[in-house]
Amino acid sequence: MKKIGFLSFGHWSPGAHSQTRSAKDVLQQSIELSVAAEEIGVDGAYFRVHHFARQLASPFPLLAAVGARTKKIEIGTGVIDMRYENPLYMAEDAGAADLISNGRLQLGISRGSPEQVVDGWRYFGYQPKDGSDDAEMGRSNAEVFLEVLKGEGFAEPSPRPMFPNPPGLLRLEPHSEGLRDRIWWGASSNATAIWAGKLGMNLQSSTLKNDETGEPFHVQQAAQIRAFRQAWKEAGHSREPRVSVSRSIFALVDDRDRAYFGGAKESDSIGYIDPTTRAIFGRSYAAEPDALIKELAQDEAIAEADTLLLTIPNQLGVDYNVHVLDCILKHVAPELGWR
């Protein structure tokens, strides 16, 4: 049994063939898709966060809106770039969105990915401390965020407050109990997956990771998951961790599917996410359902994970993306034991 969600990058463009031609389109359609996905039995609605791009950027208004329109679907991110975030203000936003959704938030955070602009976090007013770098700044912000989510008081109350205070040091409000256990770290390396396990965050592993052994993508990703779980166990956390992997998977059941995805990439590829980091990018899966089932059964990382996030072509519109998700739920998931 696996949880199956969708992951939208929230692309929009004014191109003639795009169904999301503006930021308004993609925001409103993201809400509508989440509602429709819940109705067909999808477990999660997740959204990517990219700044300075024609994509989804400010997650919490969207997460709150989805939470207000749905009842049971998990609502999350994959991922929020912590180099851009004030972790205390983010904790307030996250707490509010989680309360609106009755505790359904699953927040994926990370140090971020290659950007549209040079050092974009500087425009948001942030910069690494002396002797540090932006990756360390992202991890440090994440640690502060995790700490304040515990709900413990840390701020000295005013002796002359505008409103009466409870006794003791004050915490950030609104506080949502249990949200700390629903924070995920998007790891591209084995080392950061181990770090996340030690800190008690769940693990999100995407369609790319650092190429650390030269093995196929799914083999390296499965090893990363096992390293994360071992670190979690050694840290002595009391609950079971969750692990998600992302995949582009399309069941070809009609002419539209074949036209859009019949020529999808069927092998891993190698590239560089920065001048020094060699990365391996996982293949896409697109085939008739019977063939797709056989191919997916060989994916070691999917087998290791408890949650599968299906990356969707959001610019093709709500109706087509509901079709894509429904085909996986009906024709693929049951045969693989995911349903």
Side-chain angles (χ1 to χ4, degrees):
M1 185 69 165
K2 290 189 187 299
K3 289 185 178 292
I4 300 175
F6 72 79
L7 174 61
S8 174
F9 278 47
H11 293 285
W12 59 273
S13 71
H17 299 292
S18 174
Q19 300 297 309
T20 52
R21 305 189 68 181
S22 68
K24 177 182 177 180
D25 287 343
V26 77
L27 285 164
Q28 293 183 346
Q29 288 187 30
S30 294
I31 298 168
E32 296 304 319
L33 178 58
S34 300
V35 172
E38 180 177 76
E39 290 174 351
I40 65 172
V42 173
D43 300 304
Y46 288 74
F47 303 96
R48 186 70 168 89
V49 179
H50 273 127
H51 300 288
F52 297 103
R54 289 179 173 180
Q55 298 178 40
L56 294 170
S58 52
F60 292 106
L62 175 59
L63 296 172
V66 172
R69 289 281 308 277
T70 57
K71 298 295 184 184
K72 59 184 180 181
I73 195 171
E74 292 183 342
I75 308 162
T77 51
V79 291
I80 298 172
D81 188 336
M82 293 303 293
R83 297 174 298 179
Y84 286 78
E85 296 295 329
N86 177 321
L88 275 70
Y89 193 86
M90 180 177 167
E92 293 180 340
D93 278 350
D98 196 44
L99 292 170
I100 289 170
S101 71
N102 288 317
R104 289 182 283 132
L105 232 57
Q106 301 284 343
L107 286 183
I109 64 176
S110 187
R111 57 83 69 195
S113 61
E115 303 177 88
Q116 297 296 106
V117 298
V118 176
D119 296 343
W121 29 269
R122 294 185 185 275
Y123 295 97
F124 279 55
Y126 304 118
Q127 60 182 5
K129 296 178 181 178
D130 291 343
S132 183
D133 61 16
D134 64 299
E136 177 57 35
M137 178 174 67
R139 289 190 290 271
S140 176
N141 285 347
E143 290 177 346
V144 173
F145 179 61
L146 294 175
E147 188 64 27
V148 298
L149 285 183
K150 293 178 180 178
E152 298 172 356
F154 62 90
E156 182 179 355
S158 169
R160 294 178 297 277
M162 181 177 295
F163 307 104
N165 280 323
L169 298 177
L170 301 185
R171 68 183 185 185
L172 288 176
E173 301 289 355
H175 172 68
S176 186
E177 192 70 34
L179 179 57
R180 169 62 179 82
D181 290 342
R182 289 178 273 115
I183 307 302
W184 307 58
W185 184 260
S188 61
S189 69
N190 289 3
T192 52
I194 291 169
W195 172 79
K198 291 177 179 178
L199 288 184
M201 286 185 280
N202 301 310
L203 177 66
Q204 283 186 344
S205 197
S206 184
T207 52
L208 68 87
K209 72 174 298 294
N210 295 5
D211 184 13
E212 299 180 70
T213 66
E215 296 172 290
F217 171 78
H218 72 102
V219 174
Q220 292 196 50
Q221 191 175 51
Q224 179 193 50
I225 293 169
R226 289 190 290 269
F228 162 79
R229 287 206 171 103
Q230 182 62 32
W232 182 285
K233 180 179 179 181
E234 291 174 358
H237 302 301
S238 59
R239 65 181 177 87
E240 285 296 314
R242 289 183 60 184
V243 175
S244 74
V245 295
S246 303
R247 291 290 185 275
S248 297
I249 303 173
F250 301 98
L252 307 182
V253 301
D254 63 24
D255 289 341
R256 290 179 305 168
D257 303 327
R258 296 181 188 95
Y260 287 138
F261 303 109
K265 174 173 64 71
E266 296 185 355
S267 61
D268 299 339
S269 59
I270 299 296
Y272 284 82
I273 57 175
D274 61 44
T276 61
T277 305
R278 176 184 165 101
I280 184 167
F281 299 78
R283 56 164 294 187
S284 296
Y285 292 94
E288 307 291 331
D290 288 348
L292 195 57
I293 290 163
K294 293 178 182 178
E295 293 175 1
L296 291 169
Q298 305 303 313
D299 191 309
E300 294 183 17
I302 292 179
E304 289 280 351
D306 59 80
T307 301
L308 175 63
L309 300 183
L310 302 171
T311 60
I312 58 164
N314 75 277
Q315 286 186 281
L316 295 181
V318 173
D319 290 344
Y320 183 72
N321 280 288
V322 172
H323 162 78
V324 167
L325 296 170
D326 196 43
C327 286
I328 298 299
L329 294 183
K330 287 181 177 178
H331 303 300
V332 177
E335 295 298 323
L336 288 166
W338 302 345
R339 278 292 186 272

